[in-house]
Structures are given as structure tokens and as C-alpha cells.
Amino acid sequence: MQGSANLNVMIKAARKAGRSLVKDFREVENLQVSSKGAGDFVSRADIAAEEIIREELMAARPNYGWVGEESDPVDGKDPTRRWIVDPLDGTTNYLHGMPHWGVSIALEHKGEIVAAVVLDPAKDEMFLAEKGQGAWLNNTRLRVSGRNRMIECIFATGIPFGGRPDLPETLQDIARVAPACAGIRRWGAAALDLAYVAAGRFDGYWERGISTWDIAAGILLVREAGGLVEAVVPRVSPFDDGTILSANGGIFDGFAKVIRNV
Ligand code: LIP
């Protein structure tokens, strides 16, 4: 994919942060057996990765705004553009030494995501998209799956843990989706869940109580791969509702009706 200057800045930042996270991940794997665990170490790795990304992006585009999971938001001199960054999506997987986590970087322009990078360093998979330019995995064009019967589809979701809200609603969702599909996966990284919908690996994904930085880049990947994305509440932005529904065009309406229970 011959991307724009902004996309190339994003790719460079994601790869630099990915190298830092891979180096620290090797230490996390060693820390699994320690009684203290890896929590503090992972927090430092997460923050270090965000600082790497922020330094790269703000050096290249000093006037853009900033929204990152591990730092305070910054309003840019250019009020129309901002970076939306999750430096380590799939933190719990990373903490437990599980190689399923990603670096998610999105560029928003006038409230619309226009460029996206989701990097999975452990699998060397770089998911890219620019508005109107398609979605890509490394150098391969992405398309969502063609399945149009729910009973043949696999859906991903997130299940609230540790007292987080939305657990009853999510369990009710699962009770309706599970009997009607070929399987549900909970792999713990929203950015990769959406990237997998864009790649046709998952036929759909939904989640409640999700943050903007978890889904901003993945939303563009899905849409540029021909998929649909909405909030659980119709005609509301996923960013405002904190919920997301995504699927290929053939299954979206049926899937949405099951989740919305209509
Ligand atoms: C995670 C999301 C995941 C969700 C987790 C967590 P983090 O983001 O990617 O989909 O289920 O609860 O929010 O915290 O690893 O960046």
C-alpha cells in the first residue's frame, strides 16, 4: 500500500513502539513465575511505548491534538486533527505472557477516522487503512468475510471482568448469540478483534464498555475492508456510546437485531 505521509509517520511510530514492547515482553514472560508478578513492569512498558509513539507523532505533526490511553489529552493548534492511540491493546494478555496484543494508532480529522495502523508485533502483522484507499494486511488487500448465515459465523467480543460494568448485558448478549452462530471468541484485544473482522477471520465483533482508543483504528480497518460498524444504540457514535457492533455487510443486520434484542 502506497500510503500518505501521515500513514508513514504512523507506521514508523508503531514499529518503534512495537520493538520496545517486544523487548519488554521477553522479560514479562520471565516474570510469570515471580510472586510479585509483572504488573508494575507492564505498566512501565505500556507508558514507555506511548511515550515513543507520542514523541514520533508530535515531532512530525506538532500541531495535531492527542488522545492516548496512558496520558492526558492535548488540544492541538490544529483543532481539526488528533491522534487517538492505544500503545498496548491487550494489556492483560501481555501481562500474562500471551502473544496476542497490539499497537493501535488512528488519525481523526473533523471527527472522522481517516488513517489507521494496528500492529501485532508478535505475529509481524501490520494492519493499515486510509479513508477511501482500502484496508491492508502487510501488502495484501483485506476484505471482510462473505458469510451471510449466522449459524456459519464466528463472532468476537469482550467480557467485562473484575467488577467492570455491563457484565449482565454481555451475558444476555452471549445467551442470544451463542445458539445462533458457529462460535464466540474472547481474545482480549479490541483493535485486533476489529482487524480480524476486516481480514475475514472473524465474521463480526461486538463489545460494551469499550474505550475510543481501543476501537478508533479498527473501525476504519473494518469499513475500508467493506464491513459495517455501528454502536449498539442505533444512530449514535461508538465513541459516544462506548459500545460497538461490527460485521460483514451480509450478516450485520441479523447480528445487530440479536444484540439489540429487537
Ligand atoms: C482491552 C480491550 C479489550 C477489552 C479489555 C480491555 P486494553 O483494552 O482491547 O477488548 O475486552 O477489557 O479494555 O486495556 O488492553 O488496552
Side-chain angles (χ1 to χ4, degrees), residues 52-75:
I52 287 169
I53 295 168
R54 184 168 173 161
E55 188 177 303
E56 286 290 325
L57 296 181
M58 301 307 274
R61 300 288 184 272
N63 294 332
Y64 288 14
W66 170 271
V67 173
E69 181 173 20
E70 306 302 333
S71 56
D72 295 331
V74 174
D75 293 330

Side-chain angles (χ1 to χ4, degrees), residues 108-150:
E108 183 189 70
H109 181 227
K110 295 181 179 175
E112 197 174 18
I113 306 301
V114 295
V117 170
V118 174
L119 173 65
D120 178 344
K123 304 182 196 73
D124 193 24
E125 291 192 326
M126 172 81 78
F127 298 88
L128 305 169
E130 285 199 273
K131 184 167 171 43
Q133 301 300 316
W136 300 78
L137 167 52
N138 298 339
N139 294 309
T140 302
R141 185 75 182 257
L142 293 179
R143 291 299 299 172
V144 293
S145 70
R147 291 183 189 84
N148 58 15
R149 297 180 64 239
M150 268 196 74

Side-chain angles (χ1 to χ4, degrees), residues 69 86 88-91 158 161 186 188-190 193 205 207 210 214:
E69 181 173 20
D86 186 349
L88 176 54
D89 187 51
T91 312
F161 56 90
R186 198 277 194 257
D193 289 338
Y205 157 72
E207 188 157 358
I210 199 73
D214 291 320

Side-chain angles (χ1 to χ4, degrees), residues 79-82 84 107-114 223 237 239:
T80 68
R81 289 178 175 85
R82 64 177 183 167
I84 303 175
L107 175 58
E108 183 189 70
H109 181 227
K110 295 181 179 175
E112 197 174 18
I113 306 301
V114 295
R223 287 175 170 156
S237 163
F239 298 158

